[in-house]
Structures are given as C-alpha cells and as structure tokens.
Amino acid sequence: MHTVLTRGNSILAYSLSVLACLTFCCFLSTVFLDYRTTAVINANKVIVKNVPDYSSSREIRDLGHLTFDLHTDLTNLFNWNVKQLFLYLTAEYKTPENELNQVVLWDKIILRGENAVLDFSNMHTKYYFWDDGNGLKGHQNVTLSLSWNIIPNAGLLPSIFAIGQHSFKFPQTYTMSPV
C-alpha cells in the first residue's frame, strides 16, 4: 500500500520537523542573554591633516590619524551558540554639514576558541579617518566606541555596543609632517 518513496518522504519530513523544532529551542536558550561587557578605550597621538582625496575627487579634505588603546575581555560572550564575534571600533561626531558622522576605524574577527582578551596599546587604525569636508580640525567632541556582531549557530544576528566610550578632540592646527 505504501511505497518506499512514500515512507522515505514521511521519515524525511518528520526528521526535518524535529530538527527545526530543536534548532528553535536552542535559539530560545540563548536569545535573552546579555552580551554586553565593558571596554576601556583611549586615543593617543591625535593629529589632523588637510590632504587631497584622490579616491573620489581632488577636493582637499581632512584626514585624521590616531593611535588607540583598547582593553576588554570578551571570553564571557562565547557560549555554545556563538561561532564568532565581529568587532569594530567607530568614531562618531557632528559637523555643520552632517548631523551624524560615523567612521569605522578598526575591525577584527574572533573565532570561538581563540583568545578573546584584547589588550592593545598604541594600535594604528586599520582604515582611513576621512571627513567629507573640513570638519575634523579643532573638533572638540569625537567619540570612540567598540561594537560587535555575534555570529550565532542558530538565531538572530545582534549588534551590541560595549559599555564604555572615549571622547577626544582634534588639534586646532593641521600637521604637515608624515605620519
């Protein structure tokens, strides 16, 4: 009465339904965990230059350079449902032209099983700190903050902000020396 294909289809459908239910239960076991932790950030050697931006046009734009210290322990963020963390350090500031400017300065991927204690001193930024005009010279309130995305085995992809930020200011004059 039932062919081999019908029985195989029933077994496969039932197995997939059970696996989907178990995956959802696994997701529920970690969805309400708090993935925030403290980070200590400090900006060192902050300078600003006025240089031509050859990437889009030949306009003269502000280019910020800085080194930073970053100290945080992310080991408590890893559980069975976390495959990796994608960390990124952003600078946020206001200018008269733009209400909100956000620039990613550095990023890092930490896989499960790797050392998740970050103790960096005098790190250079990985990406350029370009302003779309001349808004960096003399800017009094640039805020550095660390954020991360949790890459799970099953579930949501949350974006988390670290507890702790650092504000600094750029100098009032341009630097002409090479960095």
Side-chain angles (χ1 to χ4, degrees):
M1 181 156 127
H2 295 288
T3 66
V4 173
L5 289 176
T6 306
R7 290 180 184 186
N9 185 29
S10 297
I11 290 171
L12 182 65
Y14 178 73
S15 299
L16 288 177
S17 298
V18 169
L19 285 175
C21 182
L22 287 175
T23 302
F24 183 71
C25 291
C26 292
F27 156 69
L28 283 179
S29 70
T30 60
V31 72
F32 297 111
L33 294 178
D34 186 16
Y35 288 107
R36 293 179 302 152
T37 189
T38 59
V40 178
I41 307 166
N42 190 25
N44 307 321
K45 192 182 171 191
V46 178
I47 62 172
V48 64
K49 291 180 160 191
N50 196 267
V51 295
D53 180 12
Y54 292 109
S55 63
S56 60
S57 65
R58 292 191 173 243
E59 293 182 38
I60 304 293
R61 297 179 186 221
D62 284 356
L63 175 63
H65 288 278
L66 63 107
T67 60
F68 63 93
D69 300 336
L70 176 62
H71 306 284
T72 187
D73 184 4
L74 304 172
T75 53
N76 62 345
L77 302 181
F78 285 94
N79 57 41
W80 68 268
N81 195 26
V82 176
K83 281 196 282 190
Q84 67 185 22
L85 297 175
F86 177 72
L87 306 165
Y88 51 98
L89 182 72
T90 57
E92 189 172 303
Y93 61 100
K94 290 182 185 180
T95 58
E97 295 84 22
N98 299 312
E99 184 66 25
L100 177 64
N101 295 289
Q102 290 180 321
V103 180
V104 175
L105 300 176
W106 174 86
D107 63 11
K108 180 175 178 61
I109 295 175
I110 300 177
L111 301 174
R112 180 179 22 206
E114 289 183 356
N115 183 14
V117 177
L118 303 180
D119 190 17
F120 299 137
S121 295
N122 290 322
M123 284 282 295
H124 290 279
T125 59
K126 193 174 180 179
Y127 306 108
Y128 289 116
F129 191 166
W130 284 106
D131 184 58
D132 63 350
N134 296 339
L136 293 182
K137 182 179 93 169
H139 200 287
Q140 297 296 310
N141 189 17
V142 179
T143 303
L144 293 177
S145 60
L146 181 69
S147 305
W148 52 85
N149 291 104
I150 294 177
I151 314 298
N153 290 313
L156 301 174
L157 183 71
S159 182
I160 313 292
F161 291 94
I163 300 168
Q165 299 176 334
H166 175 70
S167 294
F168 68 95
K169 55 186 171 182
F170 277 103
Q172 296 289 337
T173 59
Y174 290 119
T175 303
M176 298 300 173
S177 66
V179 175

